[in-house]
Amino acid sequence: MVKTRFAPSPTGFLHIGGARTALFNWLFSRKNRGSFILRIEDTDIQRSTEEATKAILESLEWLGLNWDEGPYFQSRRMDIYRKHAQKLLDEGKAYFCYCTPEELEERRKKLLMEGKKPKYDRRCLGIKPPPGRKAAIRFLIPDEGETEVNDIVKGSIRFRNDELDDLIIVRSDGIPTYNFCAVVDDALMGITHVIRGDDHLNNTPKQILIYKALGYNIPLFAHVPLILGLDRTRLSKRHGATSVSAYREMGYLPEALVNFLVRLGWSCGDQEFFTVDELIEKFTLENVGKSQAIFNPEKLLWLNHEHMKRMDSDSLSRLLVPFLEKRGIRDAGREKIIKAVNTLKSRAKTLQELADFAQFYFVKDVCLDKNAAEQYLVPETLPYLILIKEELERSETIDPRTIESRIRQLAKEKSIKLLEIAQPIRVALTGGTVSPPIFDVMDVLGRDECIRRIERAINLIKSKLEG
RNA sequence: GGCCCCAUCGUCUAGUCAGGUCAAGGACGCCGCCCUCUCAAGGCGGAAACACGAGUUCGAAUCUCGUUGGGGCCA
């Protein structure tokens, strides 16, 4: 059975790149009816925090990437790693190293300066422990031969073993390193497919040698290209919002972010829009591209809009409520919000925009745009506003079609363009010159509110005349 | 510095493994037109790419080599 995992380090929020790695793992497991496990790689006690773990879990849940096992915490598995390290030590497949990080760094720099390979020289191999020195444990890489990584995405890659460094598997402070813990955990947890960023590609031959040394089965690997920023460097804070939670706050839909992230490096013919179910059905690792992709916020915005347009207004309204509340709008009424959303769906690209646009429907007194009022709430338009008001007062309710035909009729009678009546009403009702179709707006606001707002505009013009 | 990966419109990509149907298709963005009560949405159209150089071949975006560029790893 297929078993995949996502193994983030809890040193911050869930990054866009991490989310994509998680997504590929999740999709692959779902597609193959396998399981997906979550493992928190918190061996770096200095930088790992509980808040970060919480934030990562929250973001994964929001994206809909549910896991079947875990979360496991590496910090609670230290004795397992130490036992494995001891086993390697006992079998002569690992050795103590007494060099300090500072010494190593210095030697590395020196070798680089001289134009040589910065490879560890094995000076500690087989020596007696020097007094006053703490020991790290190094894995002994075979001198000869080569190690093949048969990557599902990248193909076969061969590494000469003598190019590989004897890597540290346990630090001098007793903390096992990433490359070691990952191998032990993936083996013990029965991971069949390791899907991760290609920044780990160079670690893979070393990890394969560790699997072999430990006598464990080697999983299949799939290294997916990293996401880059506009300047073609690895996506980071410098490039703007990079956390999943930031996009959530900006009003992006999880399914849109998922759709966008998966299309960054994966394709299925010419199809751009995918529901999550479609992705599960169609996802394959074979269609993951080999080259790096640049994060393109404009396309994400477009996709978000597409997902919003296709979402039913009822669901969209539920999602909108918290955004309205942030703008001080409470108890707006379900029905009215749904109606409002109906008129705004094709206009707003994010929930944030939707809430901004929707505001005028719910506030007591619309905020009049200065320029709009100066242009349209003037003595010349006063008669039209009065006529519309009277028209509204005659009818019990507002039927958008009826009111539209009446106003069109009116424009005809006066031999003016509809625009000349529509714009003053628009300013009176919405405060600005841009809004959904004015008759739909009237329908959402309701008869009484329309009359109230038009009255306000009429009074404003009158007071201008007097003043 | 060594090793590893990558290279099609500005961006995401189809096509590359099985060379000819590709004077390179789609999408985002951009520009124009149509629709229109404003703004969107929608419809139609446009500009825009095989990094470079050799080689293999009747024929190369596709195979090989090299160069260049970008990315990554080296507690």
Side-chain angles (χ1 to χ4, degrees):
Chain A
M1 189 185 76
V2 164
K3 202 167 181 188
T4 63
R5 48 75 161 180
F6 177 54
S9 293
T11 55
F13 44 67
L14 179 61
H15 187 268
I16 288 289
R20 192 177 65 137
T21 304
L23 177 61
F24 283 165
N25 276 287
W26 182 83
L27 282 174
F28 187 71
S29 76
R30 292 297 171 262
K31 164 76 183 261
N32 294 289
R33 298 172 185 279
S35 67
F36 173 60
I37 82 172
L38 182 60
R39 183 171 74 224
I40 304 297
E41 307 216 322
D42 58 349
T43 53
D44 186 342
I45 300 156
Q46 302 298 327
R47 301 201 301 141
S48 301
T49 65
E50 257 180 61
E51 297 80 70
T53 302
K54 220 181 124 193
I56 289 168
L57 300 194
E58 255 176 36
S59 288
L60 287 172
E61 278 166 2
W62 178 71
L63 286 169
L65 309 185
N66 56 320
W67 52 94
D68 306 299
E69 274 180 51
Y72 295 109
F73 291 86
Q74 286 190 331
S75 57
R76 297 179 199 162
R77 298 167 59 83
M78 291 299 184
D79 51 334
I80 298 174
Y81 310 129
R82 290 200 186 108
K83 267 181 205 156
H84 281 79
Q86 188 58 49
K87 187 177 171 234
L88 290 177
L89 239 24
D90 293 345
E91 292 171 4
K93 294 170 179 170
Y95 60 96
F96 287 115
C97 172
Y98 306 95
C99 304
T100 65
E102 294 74 28
E103 287 169 349
L104 291 167
E105 183 55 27
E106 204 175 300
R107 268 181 248 153
R108 212 173 70 86
K109 273 186 186 157
K110 202 180 157 209
L111 284 167
L112 280 177
M113 294 277 283
E114 291 165 1
K116 291 176 186 165
K117 288 185 213 172
K119 205 182 153 188
Y120 182 62
D121 58 9
R122 287 185 176 165
R123 65 174 62 195
C124 293
L125 180 58
I127 65 166
K128 283 180 183 169
R133 290 272 186 156
K134 282 192 170 177
I137 302 173
R138 274 186 193 272
F139 180 70
L140 186 62
I141 298 273
D143 293 312
E144 292 178 357
E146 53 179 27
T147 302
E148 184 191 10
V149 179
N150 212 323
D151 195 89
I152 298 170
V153 173
K154 306 266 183 182
S156 165
I157 305 158
R158 310 180 83 89
F159 294 84
R160 286 173 46 176
N161 288 343
D162 61 12
E163 291 287 350
L164 305 176
D165 218 354
D166 285 352
L167 70 157
I168 305 244
I169 56 174
V170 180
R171 280 179 254 257
S172 52
D173 61 5
I175 306 287
T177 59
Y178 163 79
N179 279 306
F180 188 58
C181 301
V183 168
V184 171
D185 282 342
D186 287 339
L188 259 34
M189 294 175 186
I191 303 303
T192 59
H193 294 72
V194 172
I195 305 167
R196 50 163 41 159
D198 72 4
D199 49 339
H200 286 113
L201 190 55
N202 284 288
N203 291 328
T204 309
K206 298 177 196 174
Q207 292 190 339
I208 287 175
L209 291 169
I210 297 176
Y211 279 103
K212 284 184 179 164
L214 254 17
Y216 287 134
N217 287 331
I218 300 162
L220 295 168
F221 293 96
H223 286 93
V224 304
L226 258 25
I227 301 176
L228 308 182
L230 214 54
D231 59 355
R232 297 192 165 277
T233 62
R234 196 195 192 125
L235 192 66
S236 69
K237 284 138 234 130
R238 297 181 293 114
H239 300 102
T242 51
S243 68
V244 169
S245 52
Y247 285 91
R248 179 185 188 174
E249 280 156 27
M250 286 188 277
Y252 286 84
L253 263 27
E255 46 271 59
L257 195 53
V258 161
N259 191 160
F260 172 72
L261 252 20
V262 79
R263 273 289 288 115
L264 220 49
W266 174 85
S267 59
C268 183
D270 285 339
Q271 190 172 349
E272 295 287 349
F273 183 94
F274 295 88
T275 62
V276 175
D277 287 340
E278 271 178 305
L279 287 176
I280 292 171
E281 185 196 323
K282 294 179 176 173
F283 184 78
T284 60
L285 286 172
E286 284 69 28
N287 287 329
V288 173
K290 295 180 183 187
S291 54
Q292 322 115 312
I294 293 172
F295 185 83
N296 180 198
E298 278 152 355
K299 188 155 183 182
L300 169 59
L301 195 60
W302 171 76
L303 265 173
N304 198 59
H305 193 195
E306 290 301 308
H307 280 268
M308 279 174 64
K309 279 189 293 187
R310 294 177 207 214
M311 185 178 259
D312 65 279
S313 295
D314 191 74
S315 310
L316 201 51
S317 299
R318 280 175 216 283
L319 297 175
L320 181 65
V321 168
F323 288 84
L324 288 177
E325 282 174 355
K326 255 180 230 153
R327 287 159 181 73
I329 299 159
R330 284 158 217 284
D331 310 317
R334 246 204 103 58
E335 289 306 309
K336 189 176 175 187
I337 297 178
I338 292 172
K339 272 185 157 182
V341 163
N342 256 328
T343 69
L344 292 168
K345 247 197 225 180
S346 66
R347 295 172 169 75
K349 298 191 180 201
T350 62
L351 290 170
Q352 223 173 54
E353 270 189 19
L354 188 58
D356 286 338
F357 291 165
Q359 231 173 145
F360 79 85
Y361 279 124
F362 305 105
V363 291
K364 279 243 155 39
D365 288 310
V366 291
C367 169
L368 286 171
D369 177 75
K370 197 167 160 277
N371 292 334
E374 273 171 14
Q375 194 181 349
Y376 292 105
L377 300 185
V378 291
E380 293 75 46
T381 62
L382 185 58
Y384 304 140
L385 289 169
I386 292 171
L387 276 169
I388 303 300
K389 194 192 128 200
E390 287 169 355
E391 181 69 39
L392 286 169
E393 281 166 343
R394 269 197 292 279
S395 44
E396 286 291 304
T397 53
I398 291 179
D399 170 53
R401 297 296 142 248
T402 315
I403 195 90
E404 175 171 357
S405 64
R406 290 222 184 111
I407 291 175
R408 279 186 189 280
Q409 180 83 35
L410 181 68
K412 220 174 195 175
E413 283 165 16
K414 304 278 177 189
S415 316
I416 54 168
K417 288 180 180 170
L418 183 58
L419 177 77
E420 290 181 57
I421 303 181
Q423 282 305 72
I425 303 174
R426 174 167 284 120
V427 177
L429 296 181
T430 72
T433 53
V434 172
S435 84
I438 199 62
F439 310 110
D440 294 338
V441 170
M442 292 172 111
D443 182 45
V444 175
L445 287 173
R447 171 181 172 273
D448 296 349
E449 181 63 14
C450 287
I451 292 171
R452 204 180 68 79
R453 291 188 185 193
I454 292 172
E455 232 161 31
R456 182 172 170 243
I458 289 170
N459 292 335
L460 186 85
I461 299 172
K462 281 184 177 164
S463 69
K464 265 197 221 162
L465 278 172
E466 287 157 11

